[in-house]
Amino acid sequence: MNLNHFIQRAVADFRQNLPMQLMTTVVVCLSILIFTFFSFIYYNLQRTVERFGSELGLVVFLKTDIQESKIPILHQKLLNLPGIENVKYVSSEEAFERLGTYFEDAKGLLEGVDQHFLPASFELRINRAIFNLERIHALAVELEKWNEVAQVQYGKSWVDRLSAFVAVGEKVIWVSAVLLLATAAFVVSNTIKLAIYARQEEVSIMRLVGATNGFIQGPFLLEALFQGLVGSLLSIGLVFLCYSYFKGIVAQTELMRGVELIFLPPSYVISIVASSVVFCVCWTFLAIRRFLLV
Amino acid sequence: MTCLGNAFCYDIDMLRTMKGPIISLRGITKQYPPDIIALSDIDLSIEKGEFVFLTGPSGSGKSTLLKLLSCMERPTSGELSLDDFDLTNLSASQVPYVRRKVGVIFQDFKLITTKTVFENVALSLEVIGLSSEQISKRVRDILELMGLASKTDRYPPQLSGGEQQRVAIARAVVNRPSIILADEPTGNLDRGMTNEVMALVEELNAEGATVIFATHDESLFAHTYRRVLTIHEGRLRA
């Protein structure tokens, strides 16, 4: 009995039991679709938070009475700090200009206001590789102790809230992922079991005419492999369609500017397909085994 | 070599020279939990090429005996041998090889309804690993012999009871088993079809196959010269 013969029999069996085979494939597809879609959302949420966090910088506001000559020295001093990737000096004039741009539609608001009323500042960009919220906080506390520094800002409350949200979200997602996986495993395993039960008579007749366990199991396992493969690929395809659709919407939505949807990386896709195939094949093996015991 | 048509060939000369029991039971008992005794202390010997009727009322143990011989059940105690196999100590991996020596015909046909007549019969040859060409030739020959040549692509539910039983017989004998076990094969058939099936089984026996024919229809063996075994409440009566 060679592989070619197994494939021929599996194809014939698939054709003869088409409704049951399709139902199993659809159940596999839907179960994995829910999990894949959830993974897609989680992956993007995680990436977005990471990106926002790593783009976060510190703004060091200087005292208004600081001497111009000290600016280059401070600039160098800040650059020498560990983890600082870039330092940009923003003079009080430049800060005023930025404010003007911000109030472009209501220029009258700034009429008669002194152009030097805003403090000069340094904008610090943190190295992404060593980004860490606690380190930023420690750095801000340290910088505030400098004589030339009036205040340090880094969006602490926003970052704290985002971090808290992500921490809770992560727990919810993990619990949901485990429940979803358990549900998918339960549904798929029972569908496979039912499909095998429906062919119990066929299996007993094959045994009766002298078929070995390998002869009986071979096509069933190939069918399971096909169901796992097609079911998971279909679900990933559907999630990709959703991704393509939502990507366009997100890009056009002002509120979500800066957010970029990313499709699941190849390692995720391969893991999902492989897990699906292995699960279907193993469960079919176990389900059919009970009918093969003498 | 003697052949029934082109499909069913036994080396009858070889079978006749190899005298001796092909089936042997010594003190066979089969008990089902908790304490149902289906067969009790059965001693039986069947010669190669013999045709034996097995009779008795429903529930007497006929089917259990056939199940033991086809390895669908294991005896609780006693010694059982079939051809060269010691069924008492048979490993699970050896069971398929015993079954290939035994063709079983059932009252309810046991055909796979999702497979065609051709595919049902071919199954017995696929399991022994014949090539597609060999399978095709032998299946077509036996179906022609059984008068089913025009129905190869039909599915079992599209056939009459007699036709289905002929398909079941074709499947049981297409791989030329040395033993044929028939478990009430005419139970669901009318008189005409019963005679047809009997004639087929007798022809197979004439070609060298050992046959055990279980039935409670006394008319089938009322005027026979063949050995008739009667089972009553799990015990064999001479």
Side-chain angles (χ1 to χ4, degrees):
Chain A
M1 181 68 32
N2 55 34
L3 184 66
N4 192 31
H5 200 155
F6 272 141
I7 294 170
Q8 280 177 8
R9 281 185 51 224
V11 170
D13 285 352
F14 202 91
R15 207 185 60 234
Q16 284 160 357
N17 299 286
L18 197 60
M20 185 65 86
Q21 302 279 8
L22 288 181
M23 188 197 76
T24 310
T25 309
V26 167
V27 169
V28 170
C29 172
L30 291 177
S31 303
I32 295 170
L33 174 66
I34 298 167
F35 180 74
T36 309
F37 193 73
F38 218 72
S39 303
F40 168 70
I41 292 171
Y42 172 64
Y43 181 73
N44 274 279
L45 189 67
Q46 203 181 30
R47 292 302 301 261
T48 304
V49 169
E50 267 176 30
R51 206 160 63 82
F52 277 149
S54 63
E55 282 174 0
L56 200 69
L58 286 101
V59 183
V60 180
F61 292 102
L62 303 176
K63 288 179 178 168
T64 45
D65 57 354
I66 191 166
Q67 293 172 2
E68 284 282 328
S69 58
K70 283 197 172 176
I71 301 295
I73 300 163
L74 268 174
H75 187 272
Q76 195 53 50
K77 210 173 153 186
L78 288 167
L79 261 178
N80 289 342
L81 287 171
I84 302 298
E85 197 174 79
N86 182 270
V87 177
K88 185 179 186 302
Y89 175 67
V90 181
S91 66
S92 59
E93 292 85 0
E94 194 180 339
F96 189 79
E97 264 176 47
R98 285 184 184 180
L99 192 65
T101 313
Y102 190 76
F103 287 116
E104 205 169 17
D105 297 336
K107 282 181 179 169
L109 272 176
L110 296 174
E111 267 177 31
V113 177
D114 181 9
Q115 285 197 3
H116 297 93
F117 92 100
L118 288 170
S121 62
F122 283 105
E123 289 174 352
L124 277 59
R125 182 169 290 280
I126 313 293
N127 189 336
R128 281 185 186 208
I130 58 156
F131 174 80
N132 180 302
L133 203 58
E134 283 175 16
R135 282 181 72 170
I136 291 180
H137 180 71
L139 185 63
V141 171
E142 178 61 31
L143 289 173
E144 276 182 337
K145 290 177 186 167
W146 291 10
N147 290 332
E148 300 85 352
V149 174
Q151 197 186 2
V152 180
Q153 280 186 359
Y154 62 96
K156 183 178 181 300
S157 61
W158 186 84
V159 170
D160 284 350
R161 255 183 269 166
L162 185 67
S163 298
F165 171 74
V166 170
V168 172
E170 207 164 84
K171 283 192 183 81
V172 170
I173 281 169
W174 272 112
V175 170
S176 308
V178 169
L179 291 175
L180 269 177
L181 260 183
T183 310
F186 180 79
V187 171
V188 171
S189 60
N190 278 289
T191 308
I192 288 172
K193 216 189 278 181
L194 283 175
I196 303 278
Y197 278 163
R199 294 172 68 186
Q200 190 179 348
E201 181 80 358
E202 185 182 334
V203 171
S204 71
I205 291 168
M206 282 200 272
R207 290 182 65 206
L208 211 62
V209 297
T212 57
N213 287 357
F215 179 92
I216 298 169
Q217 282 171 322
F220 276 96
L221 297 180
L222 279 177
E223 289 164 39
L225 188 144
F226 178 81
Q227 286 160 350
L229 190 67
V230 172
S232 57
L233 287 177
L234 269 177
S235 70
I236 287 166
L238 287 171
V239 173
F240 187 80
L241 284 178
C242 292
Y243 154 76
S244 306
Y245 175 70
F246 285 121
K247 194 180 178 186
I249 291 178
V250 167
Q252 288 165 8
T253 308
E254 188 65 25
L255 191 67
M256 301 191 82
R257 184 187 289 176
V259 175
E260 191 194 359
L261 281 184
I262 303 160
F263 191 64
L264 293 170
S267 58
Y268 270 51
V269 172
I270 291 167
S271 302
I272 289 169
V273 174
S275 308
S276 163
V277 168
V278 168
F279 184 84
C280 287
V281 170
C282 288
W283 203 265
T284 299
F285 179 79
L286 292 175
I288 199 168
R289 208 174 124 80
R290 59 185 300 158
F291 298 121
L292 299 177
L293 299 172
V294 179
Chain B
M1 186 80 79
T2 305
C3 296
L4 177 62
N6 292 321
F8 196 75
C9 305
Y10 281 105
D11 192 342
I12 194 161
D13 298 328
M14 188 193 76
L15 286 170
R16 283 188 177 138
T17 54
M18 292 169 64
K19 276 290 173 193
I22 193 167
I23 296 169
S24 172
L25 292 85
R26 296 273 172 273
I28 287 293
T29 295
K30 177 64 186 175
Q31 185 176 345
Y32 292 103
D35 54 1
I36 303 158
I37 296 174
L39 291 174
S40 177
D41 199 23
I42 303 279
D43 287 313
L44 176 66
S45 183
I46 295 172
E47 298 292 315
K48 281 191 176 78
E50 200 177 351
F51 190 123
V52 177
F53 281 103
L54 185 63
T55 189
S58 295
S60 58
K62 300 188 298 289
S63 294
T64 305
L65 181 59
L66 296 188
K67 280 179 182 173
L68 292 180
L69 294 174
S70 57
C71 296
M72 291 160 78
E73 298 279 359
R74 294 292 183 111
T76 310
S77 64
E79 289 173 18
L80 171 57
S81 68
L82 187 144
D83 212 349
D84 296 328
F85 293 95
D86 173 9
L87 301 193
T88 322
N89 302 306
L90 195 73
S91 67
S93 60
Q94 284 292 303
V95 169
Y97 302 99
V98 175
R99 287 179 174 152
R100 291 174 193 179
K101 294 201 166 223
V102 180
V104 189
I105 308 163
F106 295 93
Q107 181 178 359
D108 59 354
F109 322 130
K110 291 212 185 299
L111 298 173
I112 302 172
T113 52
T114 54
K115 290 189 186 291
T116 62
V117 166
F118 182 94
E119 289 166 336
N120 267 284
V121 178
L123 198 60
S124 295
L125 300 175
E126 283 176 12
V127 302
I128 57 175
L130 293 192
S131 69
S132 301
E133 292 75 29
Q134 287 173 305
I135 291 172
S136 181
K137 185 182 181 320
R138 281 172 68 167
V139 172
R140 288 186 194 289
D141 285 349
I142 194 89
L143 288 178
E144 196 174 328
L145 186 72
M146 297 283 169
L148 294 164
S150 60
K151 312 217 163 155
T152 53
D153 296 328
R154 298 265 181 96
Y155 289 89
Q158 297 171 323
L159 302 176
S160 69
E163 287 170 334
Q164 288 190 55
Q165 192 56 290
R166 275 186 278 156
V167 176
I169 294 172
R171 184 188 61 196
V173 302
V174 72
N175 63 342
R176 299 162 191 170
S178 45
I179 298 162
I180 294 169
L181 305 176
D183 189 4
E184 304 268 10
T186 57
N188 284 336
L189 306 180
D190 61 29
R191 181 52 57 190
M193 284 177 182
T194 297
N195 291 339
E196 214 173 280
V197 168
M198 276 306 295
L200 265 173
V201 176
E202 283 184 346
E203 251 181 296
L204 296 169
N205 172 247
E207 297 304 322
T210 306
V211 178
I212 302 180
F213 195 106
T215 180
H216 59 256
D217 181 355
E218 290 184 15
S219 68
L220 293 180
F221 54 84
H223 305 292
T224 188
Y225 58 91
R226 303 185 191 283
R227 186 151 63 125
V228 179
L229 302 168
T230 306
I231 295 188
H232 188 74
E233 292 181 349
R235 289 184 176 276
L236 200 60
R237 290 177 180 174

